[in-house]
Amino acid sequence: MDTDKLLEILISSGDYVSGQALAQQLGVSRQAVWKGVGALRDNGCEIASVTNRGYMLKSLPQTLSEAAVRASLNTGLLGKNLIVLDSVDSTNNVLKRMGAEGCPSGTTVAAREQTCGKGRLGRKWESTRDDNLYFSLLLRPTFAPAEASAVTPLAGLAVCKALREFTGLDCRIKWPNDIIVGKKKLVGILTEMSAEFDRVEYIVTGIGINVDQALFPENIAYKATSLLLETGRHYNKNKLLAAVLKKLEEEFSESGMKLDSRVLDEYGDLCATVGRSVTFTRGTRRISGIAVGVDRGGSLKVMLSDGSLCLVSAGEVTVQGIY
Ligand code: BT5
């Protein structure tokens, strides 16, 4: 019994649908429909049933499901090919495997849990079941590999704007790949690429958004937060994912995947790193300065005490006052 298909029919009807009609459309028995309705209820759907009228969906589940994301999704490319899985090692890994097999641009993979969620440089991303959003999107851009450095800042800007609109929270970007609230991390972004010398085969951008997690492991509790901890509210992950995908698509298409002056202005306004003292490493030296902005290549512009500008493109930057 395909419960996602059953949910799709109930969503698109918006009214009571008889058990008979559902059984016919799904090509299963009425008994199987009844079981499917039970499974959807177990997953958090509120479904009314009335004798002689059938079943009607009253509210969508909190847990991630393909049909529930699709019901709110209003994009042209991102998530048109959407796959929601139960448990994966990492949505980035799943999508890279699919990318190597030729899946189309815009393919999006989300999961209810990750057993090996990845951060940058071999670090771990905590990914407990059903608490948060874990998803990745694949792009097949026509630009050269060197221009891929725009993807993480554009994704960061889009996610930050989407979360501000969706929740009203004062979310900020911590360069290069975090969204924070106050001094704590709400979102992490990991972009990976498969490319030849002058051609990008595909880019996979993975995004983890802490939604409903109330407790974090001790080693990150001081620096991690969630929408629940910040607002006291439970946000619907299906609707949130649809809203974030929409904003990502808008940002990617309006910018032409370039960090032009409009993007850099908006990024600068929302970037918590800009205007702060930062410290970074060059070779064996630790260097300090004030972050003054981000350049067209996505590098952080840091002004040193002698007034000179330094571009920081990778590695760890410590920002004073934030974790
Ligand atoms: C990141 O790395 O912030 C990138 C995280 C990307 C996660 C998404 S989830 C979907 C997709 N699939 C994946 O496997 N990954 C992507 P980095 O800047 O290296 O930060 C990692 C550090 O953040 C860890 O070392 C911890 O200190 C901290 N951390 C781990 N889990 C966290 C969480 N859930 N919330 C906040 N901080 C966390």
Side-chain angles (χ1 to χ4, degrees):
M1 165 83 225
D2 183 347
T3 49
D4 269 346
K5 186 89 187 83
L6 171 60
L7 184 56
E8 241 173 82
I9 298 172
L10 291 172
I11 288 168
S12 59
S13 148
D15 200 347
Y16 280 93
V17 188
S18 72
Q20 177 74 38
L22 287 168
Q24 259 169 14
Q25 287 184 59
L26 292 162
V28 298
S29 66
R30 289 178 66 167
Q31 177 76 4
V33 169
W34 179 75
K35 274 196 181 156
V37 167
L40 288 177
R41 284 182 177 142
D42 288 346
N43 257 328
C45 288
E46 203 192 324
I47 299 172
S49 59
V50 173
T51 321
N52 295 330
R53 295 188 73 189
Y55 303 100
M56 179 175 170
L57 180 71
K58 294 287 184 183
S59 71
L60 283 169
Q62 292 291 325
T63 48
L64 208 57
S65 89
E66 253 168 55
V69 177
R70 282 212 188 93
S72 310
L73 194 62
N74 174 24
T75 53
L77 179 77
L78 283 191
K80 278 287 154 196
N81 185 23
L82 172 73
I83 298 127
V84 175
L85 298 167
D86 188 76
S87 177
V88 297
D89 54 353
S90 144
T91 54
N92 269 34
N93 290 353
V94 172
L95 200 45
K96 284 198 294 179
R97 292 192 283 267
M98 290 174 64
E101 285 164 10
C103 73
S105 192
T107 298
T108 302
V109 171
R112 291 174 63 179
E113 74 175 352
Q114 299 187 117
T115 52
C116 264
K118 301 189 298 184
R120 293 175 303 150
L121 310 166
R123 289 189 287 247
K124 188 177 167 197
W125 187 255
E126 294 294 337
S127 309
T128 52
R129 186 174 181 78
D130 286 334
D131 272 343
N132 306 318
L133 275 178
Y134 317 109
F135 65 99
S136 304
L137 37 112
L138 181 138
L139 299 172
R140 295 190 185 277
T142 48
F143 56 61
E147 288 168 57
S149 59
V151 176
T152 296
L154 285 170
L157 180 60
V159 176
C160 187
K161 283 160 68 174
L163 287 172
R164 291 172 74 90
E165 279 173 24
F166 203 83
T167 66
L169 279 172
D170 185 20
C171 304
R172 302 266 156 184
I173 305 162
K174 177 171 177 276
W175 183 90
N177 67 319
D178 297 350
I179 310 291
I180 58 173
V181 181
K183 294 175 179 178
K184 292 184 166 185
K185 180 157 168 171
L186 181 70
V187 177
I189 301 174
L190 173 67
T191 298
E192 299 183 85
M193 173 166 73
S194 170
E196 291 164 12
F197 180 68
D198 57 355
R199 190 184 74 92
V200 176
E201 194 195 353
Y202 59 80
I203 289 177
V204 167
T205 294
I207 300 172
I209 305 177
N210 296 330
V211 181
D212 257 349
Q213 190 148 356
L215 270 179
F216 286 92
E218 210 179 327
N219 61 324
I220 59 166
Y222 74 97
K223 64 170 172 180
T225 193
S226 67
L227 296 180
L228 175 65
L229 288 173
E230 295 299 326
T231 65
R233 285 188 53 188
H234 294 282
Y235 285 92
N236 187 296
K237 293 178 212 62
N238 298 298
K239 289 187 182 163
L240 178 59
L241 177 53
V244 170
L245 288 174
K246 177 75 181 165
K247 195 57 101 186
L248 282 161
E249 181 164 289
E250 277 171 13
E251 205 57 59
F252 288 166
S253 87
E254 276 167 28
S255 65
M257 303 305 280
K258 288 200 170 12
L259 302 180
D260 59 19
S261 46
R262 191 269 307 166
V263 172
L264 289 177
D265 283 351
E266 278 193 43
Y267 191 97
D269 286 346
L270 289 175
C271 184
T273 315
V274 171
R276 288 187 186 259
S277 298
V278 296
T279 306
F280 59 95
T281 311
R282 268 288 135 92
T284 53
R285 281 196 308 147
R286 295 288 287 159
I287 303 175
S288 294
I290 305 284
V292 291
V294 169
D295 83 342
R296 284 170 189 268
S299 301
L300 190 67
K301 293 192 282 190
V302 180
M303 185 175 285
L304 308 186
S305 54
D306 63 2
S308 64
L309 267 188
C310 209
L311 287 182
V312 184
S313 59
E316 268 331 279
V317 170
T318 314
V319 187
Q320 213 170 59
I322 312 179
Y323 57 87

